Amino acid sequence: HHVAVLDDAGAVVGTARLRRKDGEAKAERVAVAPEHQGFGIGRALMDALEAIARDGGHSRLFLHAQDTAIPFYDRLGYERLGEPFYEAGVLHRAMARSLLP
């Protein structure tokens, strides 16, 4: 599943995807254009991915957060898992959040 946020002119300013991996729901490629950050677009994208995952019967959403995005996911209630690791040459951290009420 791919989710996008468009501005008033129809340009994509935020995007994310949800993929099922090893029986789990995984958020990937979450990105918001720098000039549009700080307006709730990232939260809206994650809310959409969480709803899609929940509707698909998943009780948890996990992701690999780039080191600079960890505070954003902390604010959304994601838990840090394991030790940091490099993926595609960038420092990441596995994180997950329960989707149960």
Side-chain angles (χ1 to χ4, degrees):
H1 295 274
H2 294 266
V3 178
V5 174
L6 309 178
D7 67 10
D8 292 336
V12 175
V13 297
T15 185
R17 77 177 176 198
L18 179 76
R19 190 164 66 109
R20 287 174 180 82
K21 182 178 169 90
D22 300 326
E24 291 194 275
K26 184 179 181 204
E28 298 179 334
R29 306 290 190 229
V30 179
V32 176
E35 63 273 16
H36 293 277
Q37 292 176 2
F39 298 101
I41 294 170
R43 178 178 294 274
L45 289 166
M46 292 306 297
D47 286 348
L49 293 186
E50 290 171 6
I52 294 166
R54 198 176 296 110
D55 289 348
H58 295 278
S59 60
R60 181 174 98 129
L61 182 61
F62 82 99
L63 54 89
H64 291 168
Q66 290 186 5
D67 190 57
T68 56
I70 290 172
F72 167 73
Y73 293 109
D74 283 339
R75 287 191 302 276
L76 296 183
Y78 282 78
E79 176 185 354
R80 299 176 190 201
L81 307 172
E83 296 298 319
F85 59 92
Y86 282 91
E87 186 172 271
V90 178
L91 191 61
H92 283 73
R93 186 77 173 255
M95 300 182 81
R97 180 173 186 251
S98 172
L99 300 177
L100 298 174

